[in-house]
Amino acid sequence: MFSLIQLESFVAVAEELHFGAAAERLNMTQPPLSRQIQLLERELNAKLFTRTSRNVQLTAAGEVLLPNARRLLDLSRRTSIEVSRVSTGDSGSVVVGYTSVAGQSVLPALLSTAARHLPDVTLVLREAVSIDQLDALSSGNIDVGLLRPVVTRPGVQSCLVKKDRLVVALPSGHHLVTGKGVLIKELVGLPLMMYSTNEARYFYDLVIRLFDSVGSKPTIAQIASQIPALMALVAVGLGVSLVPASAMDFAPPGVVFEELTGPDGLQDLNHSDIFIAWEEGSVNPAAQRLREVFIESLETVEGSSIPENASLPKKS
């Protein structure tokens, strides 16, 4: 079988029609160049050039070989570049998991970063609750996840990408809508739209801890696993809910928000931050590059997290 160096030698001579010029172009001496042409002719059992003391011409066989040789060399170069780009993470495919809230608040920034810095990386997007993303990371079904740390999972690493907190979602016209905030104890006895203990365990446990901080239990009226569903229940007046502040941007009409206030120490407890997570044993270079450029981009953008004292827009 002929080699790439033989094809490169042939193309150089065919384009220069001069062995000396071709040898100089390839940064080699003329005898080795002539040897490569001889080996190629022997391999193909065809004479490729007619050569006199004054000129070099392609034979009919050489004319046939030239365009094919160029295509093979071009394919070889492109293959080398593509393999190199995949190995460095500049090309390839990354499966990204995200929660419904992260899909609105963090995912757009991730997509924008990838488009700017990794245009040749293909992103495959899969919406899933946090616990399912952790399972998918461990099994290798997704490469990175945008989630909340439901549990500590061996082998899964994470990095904070957006600070968040719970706010009170109320139906428009509710008596607690004052613009001054709502105490946890004021929610005691009200019908609460609550998170599922299976699919949304993180939020369920957080809400329970908030009520425990004032020595009370919530009155659970409805259960849902996704935040948009909880806000929809609030919008039709079935009760109140505690949702991440980042969910305010996609709340349905009829939902108004109040800050969750008091008692002392509440701010230390009230965190529902979003993390980017990955399996530490992942061998996908593109996923590693995506994580790196995304985290770096957040560090350079002021206000990438929700400020603790952000004003709450009201929707009615």
Short mmCIF file of all heavy atoms in Angstrom, two decimals, residues 145-187:
data_model
loop_
_atom_site.label_atom_id
_atom_site.label_comp_id
_atom_site.label_asym_id
_atom_site.label_seq_id
_atom_site.Cartn_x
_atom_site.Cartn_y
_atom_site.Cartn_z
N GLY A 145 -24.17 18.79 34.49
CA GLY A 145 -25.53 19.08 34.94
C GLY A 145 -25.61 20.45 35.56
O GLY A 145 -24.67 20.89 36.23
N LEU A 146 -26.73 21.13 35.34
CA LEU A 146 -27.03 22.39 36.01
C LEU A 146 -28.13 22.08 37.02
O LEU A 146 -29.28 21.87 36.65
CB LEU A 146 -27.49 23.44 35.00
CG LEU A 146 -26.47 23.80 33.92
CD1 LEU A 146 -27.09 24.77 32.90
CD2 LEU A 146 -25.22 24.41 34.53
N LEU A 147 -27.76 22.02 38.28
CA LEU A 147 -28.66 21.45 39.29
C LEU A 147 -28.43 22.05 40.66
O LEU A 147 -27.54 22.88 40.85
CB LEU A 147 -28.46 19.93 39.33
CG LEU A 147 -27.01 19.40 39.44
CD1 LEU A 147 -26.45 19.54 40.85
CD2 LEU A 147 -26.93 17.95 39.00
N ARG A 148 -29.22 21.58 41.60
CA ARG A 148 -29.02 21.93 43.00
C ARG A 148 -28.54 20.67 43.72
O ARG A 148 -28.98 19.57 43.39
CB ARG A 148 -30.32 22.47 43.60
CG ARG A 148 -30.66 23.85 43.03
CD ARG A 148 -31.95 24.40 43.60
NE ARG A 148 -32.12 25.81 43.24
CZ ARG A 148 -32.65 26.24 42.10
NH1 ARG A 148 -33.09 25.36 41.20
NH2 ARG A 148 -32.76 27.53 41.86
N PRO A 149 -27.63 20.82 44.67
CA PRO A 149 -26.99 19.65 45.30
C PRO A 149 -27.95 18.89 46.21
O PRO A 149 -27.97 19.09 47.43
CB PRO A 149 -25.83 20.27 46.08
CG PRO A 149 -26.30 21.65 46.40
CD PRO A 149 -27.13 22.09 45.22
N VAL A 150 -28.75 18.02 45.62
CA VAL A 150 -29.75 17.27 46.38
C VAL A 150 -29.09 16.42 47.46
O VAL A 150 -29.49 16.42 48.62
CB VAL A 150 -30.56 16.37 45.42
CG1 VAL A 150 -31.69 15.67 46.17
CG2 VAL A 150 -31.11 17.18 44.27
N VAL A 151 -28.09 15.66 47.07
CA VAL A 151 -27.33 14.82 47.99
C VAL A 151 -25.88 14.86 47.56
O VAL A 151 -25.55 15.27 46.45
CB VAL A 151 -27.83 13.35 47.99
CG1 VAL A 151 -29.24 13.25 48.54
CG2 VAL A 151 -27.75 12.76 46.58
N THR A 152 -25.00 14.43 48.45
CA THR A 152 -23.60 14.28 48.09
C THR A 152 -23.44 12.95 47.37
O THR A 152 -23.80 11.89 47.91
CB THR A 152 -22.72 14.32 49.33
OG1 THR A 152 -22.90 15.58 49.99
CG2 THR A 152 -21.25 14.17 48.96
N ARG A 153 -22.94 12.98 46.17
CA ARG A 153 -22.79 11.77 45.37
C ARG A 153 -21.30 11.49 45.15
O ARG A 153 -20.59 12.34 44.59
CB ARG A 153 -23.50 11.93 44.02
CG ARG A 153 -23.47 10.70 43.13
CD ARG A 153 -24.29 9.57 43.73
NE ARG A 153 -25.68 9.92 43.91
CZ ARG A 153 -26.63 9.74 42.99
NH1 ARG A 153 -26.31 9.21 41.83
NH2 ARG A 153 -27.87 10.07 43.23
N PRO A 154 -20.79 10.34 45.62
CA PRO A 154 -19.38 10.02 45.41
C PRO A 154 -19.00 10.09 43.94
O PRO A 154 -19.71 9.58 43.08
CB PRO A 154 -19.26 8.59 45.95
CG PRO A 154 -20.39 8.45 46.92
CD PRO A 154 -21.51 9.28 46.35
N GLY A 155 -17.89 10.75 43.65
CA GLY A 155 -17.42 10.85 42.28
C GLY A 155 -17.96 12.03 41.50
O GLY A 155 -17.48 12.32 40.41
N VAL A 156 -18.98 12.72 42.04
CA VAL A 156 -19.56 13.88 41.36
C VAL A 156 -19.02 15.15 42.00
O VAL A 156 -19.14 15.34 43.22
CB VAL A 156 -21.10 13.87 41.41
CG1 VAL A 156 -21.66 15.15 40.83
CG2 VAL A 156 -21.64 12.66 40.66
N GLN A 157 -18.43 16.00 41.20
CA GLN A 157 -17.92 17.28 41.67
C GLN A 157 -18.82 18.41 41.18
O GLN A 157 -19.54 18.24 40.19
CB GLN A 157 -16.49 17.50 41.18
CG GLN A 157 -15.50 16.46 41.71
CD GLN A 157 -14.08 16.76 41.28
OE1 GLN A 157 -13.84 17.55 40.39
NE2 GLN A 157 -13.12 16.11 41.92
N SER A 158 -18.78 19.54 41.86
CA SER A 158 -19.66 20.65 41.48
C SER A 158 -19.01 21.98 41.79
O SER A 158 -18.05 22.06 42.58
CB SER A 158 -21.01 20.54 42.20
OG SER A 158 -20.83 20.62 43.60
N CYS A 159 -19.55 23.02 41.16
CA CYS A 159 -19.06 24.38 41.37
C CYS A 159 -20.26 25.33 41.32
O CYS A 159 -21.11 25.23 40.43
CB CYS A 159 -18.05 24.74 40.28
SG CYS A 159 -17.44 26.45 40.36
N LEU A 160 -20.34 26.23 42.27
CA LEU A 160 -21.42 27.21 42.33
C LEU A 160 -21.37 28.12 41.11
O LEU A 160 -20.33 28.69 40.80
CB LEU A 160 -21.31 28.04 43.60
CG LEU A 160 -22.28 29.22 43.76
CD1 LEU A 160 -23.71 28.70 43.89
CD2 LEU A 160 -21.90 30.07 44.97
N VAL A 161 -22.51 28.26 40.42
CA VAL A 161 -22.56 29.15 39.25
C VAL A 161 -23.61 30.24 39.40
O VAL A 161 -23.56 31.24 38.68
CB VAL A 161 -22.82 28.36 37.95
CG1 VAL A 161 -21.65 27.45 37.64
CG2 VAL A 161 -24.12 27.57 38.01
N LYS A 162 -24.56 30.09 40.33
CA LYS A 162 -25.55 31.15 40.53
C LYS A 162 -26.13 31.05 41.94
O LYS A 162 -26.68 30.03 42.32
CB LYS A 162 -26.68 31.03 39.51
CG LYS A 162 -27.60 32.26 39.48
CD LYS A 162 -28.62 32.14 38.37
CE LYS A 162 -29.40 33.43 38.17
NZ LYS A 162 -28.58 34.55 37.70
N LYS A 163 -26.02 32.15 42.68
CA LYS A 163 -26.64 32.21 44.00
C LYS A 163 -28.14 32.41 43.84
O LYS A 163 -28.58 33.12 42.94
CB LYS A 163 -26.03 33.34 44.83
CG LYS A 163 -24.60 33.09 45.25
CD LYS A 163 -24.09 34.21 46.14
CE LYS A 163 -22.67 33.92 46.60
NZ LYS A 163 -22.16 35.01 47.48
N ASP A 164 -28.90 31.79 44.71
CA ASP A 164 -30.35 31.89 44.63
C ASP A 164 -30.93 31.75 46.03
O ASP A 164 -30.23 31.36 46.98
CB ASP A 164 -30.90 30.80 43.70
CG ASP A 164 -32.20 31.21 43.02
OD1 ASP A 164 -32.78 32.24 43.42
OD2 ASP A 164 -32.63 30.51 42.08
N ARG A 165 -32.20 32.05 46.18
CA ARG A 165 -32.88 31.95 47.47
C ARG A 165 -34.36 31.74 47.20
O ARG A 165 -34.84 32.00 46.09
CB ARG A 165 -32.66 33.23 48.28
CG ARG A 165 -33.34 34.45 47.65
CD ARG A 165 -32.89 35.75 48.30
NE ARG A 165 -33.62 36.89 47.74
CZ ARG A 165 -33.35 37.44 46.56
NH1 ARG A 165 -32.37 36.96 45.81
NH2 ARG A 165 -34.05 38.48 46.14
N LEU A 166 -35.08 31.30 48.19
CA LEU A 166 -36.52 31.14 48.05
C LEU A 166 -37.23 32.45 48.36
O LEU A 166 -36.83 33.19 49.27
CB LEU A 166 -37.03 30.05 48.99
CG LEU A 166 -36.57 28.62 48.71
CD1 LEU A 166 -37.27 27.65 49.66
CD2 LEU A 166 -36.82 28.22 47.27
N VAL A 167 -38.26 32.72 47.57
CA VAL A 167 -39.15 33.85 47.83
C VAL A 167 -40.57 33.30 47.92
O VAL A 167 -40.84 32.16 47.54
CB VAL A 167 -39.05 34.93 46.73
CG1 VAL A 167 -37.65 35.55 46.73
CG2 VAL A 167 -39.37 34.34 45.37
N VAL A 168 -41.47 34.11 48.42
CA VAL A 168 -42.86 33.69 48.58
C VAL A 168 -43.65 34.03 47.32
O VAL A 168 -43.68 35.18 46.89
CB VAL A 168 -43.50 34.36 49.80
CG1 VAL A 168 -44.92 33.82 50.02
CG2 VAL A 168 -42.65 34.16 51.05
N ALA A 169 -44.27 33.01 46.72
CA ALA A 169 -45.15 33.20 45.57
C ALA A 169 -46.59 33.24 46.06
O ALA A 169 -47.06 32.30 46.71
CB ALA A 169 -44.96 32.08 44.56
N LEU A 170 -47.29 34.33 45.75
CA LEU A 170 -48.65 34.54 46.23
C LEU A 170 -49.59 34.85 45.07
O LEU A 170 -49.18 35.46 44.08
CB LEU A 170 -48.69 35.72 47.20
CG LEU A 170 -47.80 35.61 48.45
CD1 LEU A 170 -47.53 37.00 49.02
CD2 LEU A 170 -48.47 34.73 49.49
N PRO A 171 -50.85 34.45 45.18
CA PRO A 171 -51.80 34.86 44.14
C PRO A 171 -52.06 36.36 44.22
O PRO A 171 -52.06 36.95 45.30
CB PRO A 171 -53.06 34.05 44.47
CG PRO A 171 -52.89 33.58 45.86
CD PRO A 171 -51.44 33.58 46.19
N SER A 172 -52.26 36.97 43.07
CA SER A 172 -52.53 38.41 43.03
C SER A 172 -53.72 38.74 43.93
O SER A 172 -54.75 38.06 43.91
CB SER A 172 -52.80 38.84 41.59
OG SER A 172 -53.09 40.21 41.53
N GLY A 173 -53.56 39.80 44.73
CA GLY A 173 -54.64 40.22 45.62
C GLY A 173 -54.60 39.57 46.98
O GLY A 173 -55.44 39.88 47.84
N HIS A 174 -53.64 38.68 47.24
CA HIS A 174 -53.54 38.01 48.54
C HIS A 174 -53.23 39.05 49.63
O HIS A 174 -52.56 40.05 49.38
CB HIS A 174 -52.44 36.96 48.48
CG HIS A 174 -52.47 35.98 49.61
ND1 HIS A 174 -51.94 36.25 50.85
CD2 HIS A 174 -52.98 34.72 49.68
CE1 HIS A 174 -52.09 35.20 51.63
NE2 HIS A 174 -52.74 34.25 50.94
N HIS A 175 -53.74 38.80 50.85
CA HIS A 175 -53.57 39.78 51.91
C HIS A 175 -52.12 39.95 52.35
O HIS A 175 -51.77 40.96 52.98
CB HIS A 175 -54.44 39.40 53.12
CG HIS A 175 -53.95 38.21 53.88
ND1 HIS A 175 -54.25 36.91 53.52
CD2 HIS A 175 -53.15 38.12 54.98
CE1 HIS A 175 -53.69 36.07 54.37
NE2 HIS A 175 -53.01 36.77 55.26
N LEU A 176 -51.24 38.99 52.01
CA LEU A 176 -49.83 39.11 52.38
C LEU A 176 -49.02 39.92 51.37
O LEU A 176 -47.83 40.17 51.58
CB LEU A 176 -49.20 37.72 52.53
CG LEU A 176 -49.65 36.89 53.74
CD1 LEU A 176 -48.97 35.53 53.74
CD2 LEU A 176 -49.36 37.63 55.04
N VAL A 177 -49.65 40.35 50.29
CA VAL A 177 -48.95 41.17 49.30
C VAL A 177 -48.91 42.61 49.80
O VAL A 177 -49.89 43.36 49.70
CB VAL A 177 -49.65 41.09 47.92
CG1 VAL A 177 -48.92 42.01 46.93
CG2 VAL A 177 -49.67 39.67 47.41
N THR A 178 -47.76 42.98 50.38
CA THR A 178 -47.61 44.32 50.94
C THR A 178 -46.37 45.04 50.41
O THR A 178 -46.25 46.25 50.57
CB THR A 178 -47.49 44.25 52.47
OG1 THR A 178 -46.30 43.54 52.82
CG2 THR A 178 -48.71 43.56 53.08
N GLY A 179 -45.46 44.29 49.81
CA GLY A 179 -44.20 44.88 49.38
C GLY A 179 -43.19 45.00 50.49
O GLY A 179 -42.09 45.51 50.30
N LYS A 180 -43.54 44.50 51.68
CA LYS A 180 -42.64 44.60 52.85
C LYS A 180 -42.04 43.26 53.24
O LYS A 180 -41.29 43.18 54.22
CB LYS A 180 -43.41 45.18 54.04
CG LYS A 180 -43.95 46.59 53.80
CD LYS A 180 -44.73 47.08 55.01
CE LYS A 180 -45.29 48.48 54.74
NZ LYS A 180 -46.07 48.98 55.91
N GLY A 181 -42.36 42.21 52.49
CA GLY A 181 -41.85 40.90 52.84
C GLY A 181 -42.82 40.09 53.66
O GLY A 181 -43.80 40.64 54.20
N VAL A 182 -42.56 38.79 53.78
CA VAL A 182 -43.44 37.88 54.51
C VAL A 182 -42.61 37.05 55.48
O VAL A 182 -41.56 36.50 55.11
CB VAL A 182 -44.18 36.94 53.53
CG1 VAL A 182 -44.98 35.88 54.30
CG2 VAL A 182 -45.09 37.73 52.61
N LEU A 183 -43.07 36.97 56.72
CA LEU A 183 -42.42 36.12 57.72
C LEU A 183 -42.84 34.67 57.52
O LEU A 183 -43.97 34.38 57.10
CB LEU A 183 -42.81 36.56 59.12
CG LEU A 183 -42.35 37.96 59.56
CD1 LEU A 183 -43.08 38.37 60.83
CD2 LEU A 183 -40.85 37.99 59.76
N ILE A 184 -41.94 33.76 57.85
CA ILE A 184 -42.26 32.33 57.76
C ILE A 184 -43.51 32.02 58.58
O ILE A 184 -44.41 31.29 58.14
CB ILE A 184 -41.08 31.47 58.25
CG1 ILE A 184 -39.98 31.43 57.18
CG2 ILE A 184 -41.53 30.05 58.57
CD1 ILE A 184 -40.32 30.58 55.99
N LYS A 185 -43.60 32.60 59.76
CA LYS A 185 -44.73 32.28 60.64
C LYS A 185 -46.05 32.75 60.04
O LYS A 185 -47.11 32.23 60.40
CB LYS A 185 -44.52 32.88 62.03
CG LYS A 185 -44.48 34.40 62.07
CD LYS A 185 -44.23 34.87 63.51
CE LYS A 185 -44.22 36.39 63.60
NZ LYS A 185 -43.95 36.86 64.99
N GLU A 186 -46.01 33.73 59.13
CA GLU A 186 -47.25 34.18 58.49
C GLU A 186 -47.76 33.16 57.47
O GLU A 186 -48.92 33.25 57.05
CB GLU A 186 -47.01 35.52 57.80
CG GLU A 186 -46.74 36.69 58.75
CD GLU A 186 -46.55 37.98 58.01
OE1 GLU A 186 -45.46 38.19 57.43
OE2 GLU A 186 -47.49 38.81 58.01
N LEU A 187 -46.93 32.22 57.08
CA LEU A 187 -47.34 31.18 56.13
C LEU A 187 -47.94 29.96 56.83
O LEU A 187 -48.53 29.10 56.18
CB LEU A 187 -46.14 30.74 55.28
CG LEU A 187 -45.47 31.84 54.43
CD1 LEU A 187 -44.26 31.26 53.71
CD2 LEU A 187 -46.46 32.43 53.44
#
